[in-house]
Amino acid sequence: MKGNVLICVTANPRFFPDCSKDPKSFSANVPARNSAPVSFRGLAQGTYAISLLHDENGNGKMDMAVFIPKEGFGFSRNPAIVTGPPKFKAAAFPIDAAEVSQRVKMKYML
């Protein structure tokens, strides 16, 4: 796999799914692989949502082809994708313990 996976974690529904402008978000940029664990430390208890983008060409954004994503994406809780990204509530999960795990499946439309 080429490119990187951009990972964004936010507790603010206003900044989901693109939480790059959320000053309190947590983010990571990791090499694209079939599978890779990623850890975030310092998250306070609360409700969060995760968004992933397989940025194949390294431009830092989702590339589209007539309203269809050209790159892979994923969200915490793996909600069904009908039209557009899911709402924060569909991807949200609680962090109320020392360790919480989410397994996110990447989706490719093209």
Side-chain angles (χ1 to χ4, degrees):
M1 299 184 101
K2 63 181 179 174
N4 289 326
V5 175
L6 308 178
I7 304 167
C8 206
V9 181
T10 186
N12 190 332
R14 287 185 20 224
F15 292 106
F16 181 81
D18 177 10
C19 64
S20 62
K21 291 185 174 77
D22 179 359
K24 296 182 180 180
S25 70
F26 292 78
S27 61
N29 186 338
V30 298
R33 297 188 193 126
N34 287 335
S35 176
V38 177
S39 297
F40 291 94
R41 300 193 190 289
L43 289 138
Q45 289 188 354
T47 302
Y48 292 84
I50 301 169
S51 61
L52 305 178
L53 168 62
H54 180 189
D55 187 16
E56 295 180 41
N57 61 4
N59 68 354
K61 65 179 186 171
M62 170 68 75
D63 293 313
M64 306 290 282
V66 191
F67 305 110
I68 298 173
K70 292 171 65 176
E71 298 173 303
F73 59 89
F75 305 99
S76 46
R77 294 185 52 214
N78 299 301
I81 304 300
V82 181
T83 57
K87 299 289 186 200
F88 179 86
K89 185 176 181 180
F93 62 96
I95 293 182
D96 54 11
E99 188 172 313
V100 174
S101 177
Q102 284 286 313
R103 182 177 294 269
V104 179
K105 295 178 184 176
M106 296 294 285
K107 297 174 181 13
Y108 293 86
M109 306 299 278
L110 295 177

